Amino acid sequence: MTNQTQNLNNKNYFKGLNIHCGKDVEKQLLQLCNSGKPEIVVTLNPEIFVKARENYELWKIIQKASLITADGVGIAIALGGKIKRVTGTDLTRAAIKICADNKWTLGLLGGRKGAAKIAVEKIQKDNPSIKAVDLELPADIYNITEDEKKQIREWLSHNKIKICLVAWDYGQRELVLHQIMGNLSLNTVFIGVGGVMDYLAGIIKRAPVWMRRLGLEWLFRLITQPRLRLKRQIKMFIKYFYYLCKNST
C-alpha cells in the first residue's frame, strides 16, 4: 500500500485524514489505475470512522489509503459542506465505465451468497464490452485463512483485475486487504463498496431517489430494519460525536 498519491491534491483534512473534495473522482480513479502499484480506496462514513478510531492498525491503514472519499453524509456535514459526497455507488459507476472504456477487467469480491455473480451478469448485460468476474471468498472474513488469501491473489493475478469492488464488512475489509496487497505485484485498485453489490444484484431495495439526494439512506435503512439498526445507530452516533469533539492524532 502506498502513501497518499501526491497528484490527488483536491482534498480536505479531517481529524487526521485527507478527504477528497469529490470533484473529478473518475479522473483520480483512473490515475490510480495507472500507478503501477496496488491501491486502496476508502469510502468513509461515520461507522468506519468510529471503528478506525477504536482500532489503531485500521486507523493507520486508512490514513495511508490511496484515496478517501466522503461516503457518509455525516462526514460531509462535519467538513462544513466544503466537499461533495462520493458514495460507493458513485465509485462503482466510475469503475464500470473505466474498465469498459479501457478493456480492463472488473472484479467483484465477497458479498452475500450469490450476489456477486448476479451483479456481474447485470453489469455485463448493461455493458456488453466489459469483462467482469466474481469470487465469493472468504467463507468468514473474520476468520480468513492463508489458503483463502492465496486463492484471492491467484484470482486477481489470473484475471489481471484492474479494479476490484470488495463487499466485505467495513473495517475488517481494510485490514484483510492490507494483508493481501502486501504480497501483490498487480496494479489493482481495491474499492470497498459495502452494500452496493446487493443493490446491483437487486437483493436489497435502495432508498428512494429523493432520500439518496438528501443523504438520508441511513434513515431509510433505519425505517426498513429498525430492530437491526436502531440500537446500533444510536450507539454509533454517540461515539461519532465524541470522536468529533476530540483532538485529532
Side-chain angles (χ1 to χ4, degrees):
M1 184 179 300
T2 63
N3 290 331
Q4 299 277 355
T5 306
Q6 290 183 356
N7 58 1
L8 303 180
N9 51 19
N10 293 321
K11 301 173 183 174
N12 293 275
Y13 202 62
F14 172 70
K15 296 292 181 179
L17 301 175
N18 285 318
I19 313 297
H20 191 269
C21 72
K23 297 179 181 179
D24 299 323
V25 73
E26 184 180 321
K27 179 181 177 182
Q28 310 303 332
L29 192 56
L30 184 59
Q31 288 181 7
L32 294 181
C33 288
N34 288 295
S35 73
K37 308 169 187 175
E39 308 279 9
I40 186 168
V41 177
V42 174
T43 49
L44 190 70
N45 60 28
E47 290 90 344
I48 299 175
F49 178 78
V50 168
K51 184 166 281 193
R53 294 309 291 149
E54 296 176 342
N55 184 317
Y56 181 75
E57 182 183 359
L58 175 59
W59 181 253
K60 300 308 290 184
I61 289 171
I62 291 177
Q63 277 190 318
K64 295 177 182 178
S66 314
L67 177 64
I68 307 174
T69 67
D71 185 339
V73 67
I75 303 296
I77 291 173
L79 280 163
K82 295 184 294 181
I83 63 172
K84 177 184 176 183
R85 285 183 66 212
V86 178
T87 66
T89 301
D90 295 327
L91 286 170
T92 296
R93 289 197 196 98
I96 292 171
K97 184 178 184 302
I98 287 170
C99 286
D101 289 348
N102 293 276
K103 301 188 184 306
W104 288 332
T105 303
L106 177 72
L108 277 69
L109 177 60
R112 68 180 69 201
K113 189 171 181 60
K117 187 171 293 296
I118 296 171
V120 162
E121 291 172 355
K122 291 193 174 185
I123 290 171
Q124 290 176 325
K125 182 179 179 181
D126 294 334
N127 305 270
S129 64
I130 196 171
K131 181 181 178 183
V133 294
D134 65 276
L135 181 66
E136 201 173 286
L137 276 182
D140 179 0
I141 187 59
Y142 293 94
N143 293 287
I144 186 170
T145 66
E146 290 303 317
D147 183 60
E148 286 174 323
K149 292 176 189 175
K150 181 180 178 182
Q151 289 181 62
I152 292 170
R153 292 190 191 99
E154 289 175 348
W155 172 74
L156 292 163
S157 298
H158 176 74
N159 291 287
K160 296 182 174 60
I161 293 172
K162 178 59 72 172
I163 302 180
C164 186
L165 307 179
V166 186
W168 297 333
D169 287 354
Y170 63 81
Q172 188 67 12
R173 173 180 63 211
E174 286 74 19
L175 291 169
V176 173
L177 283 177
H178 180 65
Q179 297 167 8
I180 290 172
M181 291 167 66
N183 292 306
L184 191 69
S185 59
L186 289 175
N187 177 203
T188 301
V189 179
F190 296 91
I191 305 175
V193 295
V196 173
M197 204 175 291
D198 289 336
Y199 298 141
L200 286 171
I203 293 173
I204 293 180
K205 184 179 179 181
R206 292 197 68 187
V209 174
W210 69 268
M211 294 188 84
R212 281 181 259 154
R213 287 175 178 170
L214 293 174
L216 296 175
E217 296 98 328
W218 63 270
L219 180 58
F220 178 79
R221 291 191 290 268
L222 179 59
I223 293 170
T224 55
Q225 299 174 306
R227 290 186 179 180
L228 175 65
R229 295 185 176 274
L230 182 59
K231 184 177 180 180
R232 189 175 76 184
Q233 288 201 353
I234 291 174
K235 183 178 180 181
M236 184 281 302
F237 176 80
I238 292 170
K239 286 185 175 182
Y240 183 56
F241 183 76
Y242 168 73
Y243 286 118
L244 283 182
C245 293
K246 285 189 68 175
N247 292 329
S248 61
T249 58

